[in-house]
Every structure is written in structure tokens, then in C-alpha cells.
């Protein structure tokens, strides 16, 4: 680690790794600082990603793909099963990654391209000059070093602190944090090529429970419930344990990880003078699915591209960096977040009877394009009444 | 005051994201509580494991 970089990236997850790689490819110097001693571990993720989304960034490699998905299923509160498949039977629609190796691969690629990497190195404060972010104090091995940077990219995840220290309120509302727990379970009977989502207020209030296969008899079995619904005796772990006892009584848990996933709207502004915020730290997780890998990589790349542009022009003001904020909001990803936020807000207000009704309307869907948008469109097509309930939102879905 | 039951804490950072005061910080596998904690209890509510507890002093 040097004392000065063009771009200092806080956080070595997918957003930070892609940001650093993009920055060095644009001819800038860049360094990733990761507070944990290892990249990729511990995994705090259900690890699912759509096929097209992944391909936009990297060629799939068996070293970090746990399983290939050909379909998905939704289990209604009353147990009814809705099967979702690609219109092209048997074709791949997504992957369940092995994030320990995936994250490492992304950081390797950044390092290979020329980025510096520092692990067990934690940003403890921004370096500010006249209200402008000029780098960060980095603590490693008990020693604090001032690392100056032309731009800092904060990609420090759901537990992000860096932007807060720079004066930006990143607090997630209690009702919009998904309080989560996941077990990696083995020796369980599953469909090894479908992700399964369980819905219902008894199963996962204002959230969902997932079974994402990682092999023939192995899966990520996890749950997220609204922070509002969490409390003593009815926490995420209580719900998950109840499900596991009933569904996989003989399964073996080989990994345990709690977590938090934000399903709020993104930060109202994701830049400041000398600072760009990317990934989970910017609260760009998809509020409907809780997916954040693609959105992290997308904003990470865009953050570095904007940084390169602005460094080229010699203007790192908030006003100049706003190009990043505007661009991701106008992107397909930004629009999907806004749309899915409204759909989430609608769905969490529905009683189980309504969810049953919606899911019962289709027992099997062959989706021409395997996406949540297409799923919603199909559901609305067979439930014309929903158009009225969704109001203005329905128009944006056509 | 806020008590962290370290044997239960899974150091996931869920609590950090909801703390308005910015009083919590996850330092790898250690959750630190700063002096500006107001014992509001929001973190204790959302903790997926029940590792946080607001203890009222006698």
C-alpha cells in the first residue's frame, strides 16, 4: 500500500473489486482496502445470480460456480407450488455461486490488472480538506497510515460506515432491513437445479425463505424477515430453525451465517465532493429479491468510469461526480430498483390469503425471458384485477 | 447500556446498518459499541440471533 492513489476503494467485495479493476484498466492507480483478513469470507449471501447478469461481467468458471439453475419455484403460504421454467426447456437461467472463490477471483483480476490490495486493513476515518474527501486513514497491524486519493469509492457493504463519517446518512429504516440467517445444509432432498422461494407471514414475515442448491444434496437454506417483525422469540433464526426442523429434519448444517440485507430505496445521493458510494453501501440492493451481486458490480464499474472521466477533466466536485448518480438511476438496474421497490411495498401489505390467490393462478409458467419483471408481467396477465390494485405501477410494467 | 453477548453475536453487521447514531462498528469479528450509543434498542430488535440487549442499570 502506497500513500497516494488516484482511486482508493474501501471494501473488497464484488463492487470494490470491479471498481478497482475498472480504474486500473482506465490507466489510474488504485488500491482496495479490505478490513477482513480474507477476501470472500465469511460469506453473507444466498449467492444467486441470473445468467445474463453474470455474463455481463465475467465468463462462468466451474471453480466458483456451485450449481447451474434451470428453473425456480415459489411455494405459497398454503404450500401450493408454482414452477417457473425457461420457455426453452432445460436451458440455464442462473447460477448459485461460491462467493468465497468468486470474490477472490474478482480481486485477483483487479490485482492482475495492476491494483494494489491490502487485507486486514480498515478505514477508520476519511481525510477531509475543506469538506472534500481526500483519502482515508487506514489502520493495519496497529498502525494508522494516511492514504491520500483523488477519489474514494466507498464499497464497504451493508455495514458501511465510511459515507456516514463523510456526513451522509446511510441508516437503513428498521422495517427495511431484512434480518437474515443462512445455513449451508447438506444431506438434504432438494431439486438440485431450481431455486425455491417460500412466502407467507408464518414462514417469513415481510420477507422470504430460500433454498438455493449448491450441489445434488447441498443448499443455502436461509431466511430474511423485516426488522420490524423481528424480536425476542421470533427472530430470523427462530423462523429458520422451525422450517429446517420440519423440512430437512435429517439435514446437516455445515455453515452458519447471519446477515442484514437492505430493501430500502437507494441513498438519495450517492456522491459527495471526492467520494462515490457503490454497491450495498449505496443501498442499491434489489428491494424485491434482495439480490445485490450484479448491482454491486454494475455500480462499482460505473463509479470507476466516472472517477476516470472526472480525473481526466480535473474536477472531482460533487457536481461533476453526479454523472455517476444520474447514470445508474437512469440505467436498467436503477429503473428495476424503483419498480421493484413499489412491487415489494405492495406485496408486504398482502395477507397470506391474497398471496395464495395470486400464486394459485398459475401452477407452471414458461418464461420467455427469465426475470422477475417477466414473472410479474405474467402474474398480472392472469390476474387482471391486480392492474387496478397496482394502480400507476401497473402501467410501468406493460 | 447496550450489552453485546459475544458468544451469540455472529458479527454480520445487520445492527450497524440500522444505527442512526453510527455508534456500532464491525471490526472483522468484533462488534464495537461507541460512547455515543443512546441505548435506543433498535439494533437489539433487528439482530437475527438475539445477541444484543439493552441493560437498564439499577
Amino acid at each position: 500500500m502506497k500513500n497516494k492513489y488516484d482511486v482508493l476503494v474501501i471494501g473488497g467485495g464484488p463492487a470494490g473489486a470491479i471498481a478497482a479493476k475498472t480504474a486500473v484498466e482506465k490507466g489510474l492507480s488504485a488500491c482496495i482496502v479490505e478490513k477482513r483478513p480474507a477476501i470472500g469470507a465469511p460469506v453473507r449471501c444466498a449467492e444467486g445470480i441470473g445468467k445474463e447478469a453474470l455474463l455481463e461481467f465475467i465468463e462462468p468458471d466451474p471453480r466458483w460456480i456451485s450449481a447451474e439453475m434451470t428453473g425456480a419455484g415459489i411455494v405459497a403460504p398454503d404450500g401450493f407450488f408454482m414452477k417457473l421454467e425457461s420457455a426453452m426447456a432445460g436451458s440455464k437461467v442462473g447460477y448459485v455461486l461460491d462467493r468465497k472463490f468468486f470474490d477472490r477471483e474478482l480481486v485477483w483480476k483487479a490485482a492482475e490488472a495492476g491494483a494494489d490490495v491490502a487485507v486486514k486493513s480498515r478505514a477508520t476515518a476519511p481525510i477531509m480538506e475543506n469538506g472534500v474527501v481526500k483519502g482515508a486513514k487506514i489502520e493495519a497491524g496497529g498502525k494508522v497510515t494516511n492514504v491520500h486519493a483523488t477519489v474514494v469509492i466507498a464499497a464497504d457493504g451493508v455495514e458501511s460506515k465510511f459515507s456516514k463519517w463523510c456526513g451522509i446518512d446511510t441508516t437503513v429504516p428498521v422495517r427495511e432491513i431484512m434480518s437474515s440467517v443462512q445455513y449451508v445444509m447438506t444431506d438434504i432432498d432438494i431439486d438440485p437445479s431450481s431455486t425455491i422461494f417460500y412466502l407467507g407471514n408464518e414462514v417469513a414475515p415481510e420477507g422470504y425463505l430460500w433454498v438455493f442448491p449448491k450441489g445434488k444434496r447441498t443448499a443455502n437454506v436461509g431466511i430474511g424477515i423485516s426488522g420490524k417483525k423481528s424480536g425476542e422469540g421470533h427472530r430470523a433464526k427462530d423462523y429458520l430453525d422451525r422450517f429446517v426442523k420440519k423440512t430437512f429434519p435429517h439435514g446437516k448444517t455445515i455453515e452458519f451465517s447471519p446477515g442484514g440485507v437492505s430493501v430500502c430505496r437507494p441513498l438519495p445521493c450517492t456522491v459527495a465532493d471526492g467520494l462515490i458510494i457503490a454497491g450495498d453501501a449505496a443501498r442499491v440492493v434489489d428491494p424485491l429479491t434482495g439480490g445485490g451481486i450484479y448491482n454491486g458490480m454494475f455500480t462499482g464499474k460505473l463509479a470507476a468510469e466516472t472517477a476516470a472521466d472526472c480525473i481526466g477533466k480535473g474536477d472531482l466536485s460533487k457536481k461533476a461526480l453526479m454523472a455517476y448518480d444520474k447514470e445508474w438511476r437512469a440505467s436498467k438496474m436503477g429503473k428495476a430498483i424503483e419498480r421493484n421497490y413499489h412491487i415489494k411495498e405492495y406485496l408486504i401489505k398482502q395477507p397470506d390469503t391474497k398471496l395464495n390467490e395470486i400464486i394459485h393462478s398459475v401452477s407452471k409458467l414458461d418464461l420467455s425471458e427469465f426475470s422477475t419483471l417477466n414473472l410479474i408481467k405474467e402474474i398480472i396477465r392472469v390476474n387482471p384485477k391486480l392492474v387496478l390494485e397496482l394502480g400507476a405501477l401497473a402501467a410501468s410494467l406493460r | 447500556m447496550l450489552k453485546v453477548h459475544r458468544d451469540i453475536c455472529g458479527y454480520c453487521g445487520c445492527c450497524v446498518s440500522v444505527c442512526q447514531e453510527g455508534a456500532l462498528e464491525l471490526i472483522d469479528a468484533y462488534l464495537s459499541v461507541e460512547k455515543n450509543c443512546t441505548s435506543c434498542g433498535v439494533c437489539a430488535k433487528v439482530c437475527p440471533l438475539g445477541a444484543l440487549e439493552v441493560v437498564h442499570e439499577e
Side-chain angles (χ1 to χ4, degrees):
Chain A
M1 195 171 61
K2 303 184 191 82
N3 292 316
K4 170 108 188 75
Y5 291 94
D6 295 320
V7 179
L8 178 64
V9 182
I10 316 290
I18 296 285
K21 176 170 172 278
T22 307
V24 291
E25 283 169 355
K26 292 265 175 195
L28 305 174
S29 62
C31 181
I32 300 171
V33 289
E34 167 58 50
K35 69 181 175 184
R36 294 199 169 87
I39 300 290
V43 174
R44 306 229 179 267
C45 181
E47 304 179 299
I49 187 166
K51 182 183 147 193
E52 307 301 328
L54 180 71
L55 283 174
E56 204 176 307
F57 286 93
I58 190 166
E59 276 302 310
D61 183 328
R63 284 182 302 135
W64 42 259
I65 289 197
S66 290
E68 295 179 345
M69 298 297 113
T70 57
I74 298 176
V75 180
D78 66 358
F80 182 85
F81 185 72
M82 178 207 273
K83 177 90 181 143
L84 305 168
E85 275 178 346
S86 164
M88 297 196 298
S91 74
K92 256 178 289 182
V93 296
Y95 302 96
V96 176
L97 305 176
D98 191 333
R99 284 283 304 271
K100 284 188 189 104
F101 293 93
F102 178 70
D103 287 26
R104 213 186 282 189
E105 175 79 12
L106 295 185
V107 170
W108 264 341
K109 284 198 184 302
E112 238 172 41
D116 280 353
V117 183
V119 293
K120 207 164 168 35
S121 301
R122 184 173 64 97
T124 57
I127 297 170
M128 304 280 281
E129 284 170 22
N130 305 318
V132 180
V133 180
K134 294 277 187 182
K137 291 187 181 298
I138 306 295
E139 187 185 270
K143 217 179 95 193
V144 179
T145 313
N146 282 341
V147 179
H148 291 269
T150 315
V151 187
V152 174
I153 296 178
D156 46 350
V158 68
E159 78 260 33
S160 161
K161 286 300 284 289
F162 198 83
S163 321
K164 210 163 217 172
W165 294 330
C166 300
I168 297 163
D169 187 7
T170 57
T171 314
V172 177
V174 171
R175 72 174 196 94
E176 298 196 303
I177 189 75
M178 286 290 117
S179 178
S180 310
V181 179
Q182 176 172 275
Y183 299 147
V184 179
M185 295 194 70
T186 193
D187 210 9
I188 54 176
D189 286 322
I190 51 162
D191 172 352
S193 54
S194 288
T195 50
I196 311 291
F197 302 80
Y198 293 78
L199 302 182
N201 288 303
E202 301 290 318
V203 184
E206 295 191 12
Y208 67 83
L209 188 148
W210 63 85
V211 176
F212 283 10
K214 281 177 77 79
K216 278 202 175 70
R217 295 182 58 75
T218 303
N220 286 333
V221 181
I223 189 174
I225 67 168
S226 162
K228 187 178 89 188
K229 299 283 183 179
S230 168
E232 203 47 43
H234 49 97
R235 296 187 187 277
K237 186 174 184 298
D238 300 316
Y239 283 97
L240 184 61
D241 285 342
R242 202 184 312 154
F243 174 85
V244 162
K245 202 173 161 192
K246 195 177 85 191
T247 315
F248 303 123
H250 305 295
K252 287 141 199 167
T253 299
I254 57 168
E255 204 168 307
F256 166 88
S257 51
V261 181
S262 68
V263 293
C264 53
R265 279 221 173 85
L267 296 181
C269 180
T270 54
V271 295
D273 292 321
L275 175 72
I276 305 180
I277 313 167
D280 284 12
R283 313 306 184 208
V284 293
V285 170
D286 184 311
L288 181 61
T289 63
I293 304 170
Y294 173 82
N295 294 1
M297 294 195 290
F298 182 83
T299 49
K301 180 163 185 256
L302 192 59
E305 286 169 352
T306 309
D309 256 13
C310 292
I311 288 172
K313 290 174 187 151
D315 183 0
L316 285 309
S317 67
K318 176 178 173 179
K319 198 176 160 203
L321 295 174
M322 270 307 281
Y324 160 79
D325 191 277
K326 286 204 184 86
E327 195 168 337
W328 75 250
R329 277 181 218 275
S331 72
K332 198 175 158 194
M333 179 210 78
K335 287 180 179 149
I337 291 176
E338 185 59 23
R339 185 188 67 230
N340 288 356
Y341 182 80
H342 289 289
I343 297 171
K344 183 240 354 175
E345 285 295 294
Y346 169 79
L347 285 175
I348 60 169
K349 290 183 186 85
Q350 303 311 312
D352 282 357
T353 47
K354 182 71 185 184
L355 295 176
N356 285 334
E357 191 187 307
I358 294 172
I359 299 168
H360 277 247
S361 63
V362 262
S363 59
K364 186 170 182 298
L365 273 182
D366 291 323
L367 298 174
S368 53
E369 185 204 331
F370 209 85
S371 65
T372 40
L373 175 58
N374 235 13
L375 166 63
I376 304 278
K377 279 182 180 171
E378 280 299 309
I379 287 177
I380 292 175
R381 196 176 56 79
V382 291
N383 294 278
K385 268 197 313 191
L386 282 180
V387 175
L388 292 173
E389 292 176 28
L390 288 168
L393 175 63
S396 72
L397 294 167
R398 282 198 203 108
Chain B
M1 62 171 284
L2 185 71
K3 189 169 182 215
V4 183
H5 295 282
R6 303 211 176 267
D7 48 342
I8 300 174
C9 176
Y11 38 92
C12 68
C14 184
C15 54
V16 179
S17 71
V18 296
C19 178
Q20 186 80 50
E21 307 300 322
L24 295 169
E25 194 178 356
L26 186 62
I27 303 174
D28 187 23
Y30 185 90
L31 180 69
S32 81
V33 185
E34 304 299 321
K35 285 192 190 78
N36 56 334
C37 170
T38 61
S39 298
C40 74
V42 156
C43 53
K45 180 172 171 60
V46 305
C47 175
L49 306 179
L52 299 167
E53 187 187 357
V54 177
V55 182
H56 297 285
E57 281 153 286
E58 299 287 303

